[in-house]
Amino acid sequence: MGIIGTIVIGLLVGLIARFLKPGDDSMGWIMTILLGIGGSLLATYGGQALGLYEAGEGAGFIGAVVGAIILLVIYGAVTGKKKS
């Protein structure tokens, strides 16, 4: 898959992850794409390394969404605003 395809899939995965994760995520399109791509890479290669699924299977897309949600939670914890 080319770089444009990766960006489009990353955007879709990021949007789905933001929709499924409860709470307010005030970030732009670029961060959504980057978190989606990161989640895709994390879950896809991690799942394949663990032998959970093969390349090209539908479980990889679900794993990418789960990976993106995990990255959203980590991003929210790191950049969370402290209340004074």
Side-chain angles (χ1 to χ4, degrees):
M1 178 182 311
I3 189 72
I4 300 298
T6 302
I7 291 172
V8 170
I9 295 296
L11 174 63
L12 290 174
V13 166
L15 288 174
I16 292 170
R18 283 181 64 184
F19 178 73
L20 293 176
K21 181 189 166 287
D24 182 31
D25 294 321
S26 57
M27 66 181 71
W29 289 97
I30 301 297
M31 280 305 297
T32 300
I33 293 170
L34 292 177
L35 286 174
I37 292 170
S40 296
L41 292 174
L42 174 76
T44 300
Y45 294 117
Q48 289 176 10
L50 293 173
L52 299 175
Y53 46 83
E54 298 293 322
E57 289 185 6
F61 186 78
I62 295 169
V65 172
V66 171
I69 291 173
I70 291 170
L71 285 182
L72 277 172
V73 169
I74 292 170
Y75 178 80
V78 170
T79 63
K81 297 179 182 177
K82 294 184 180 180
K83 295 180 181 178
S84 318

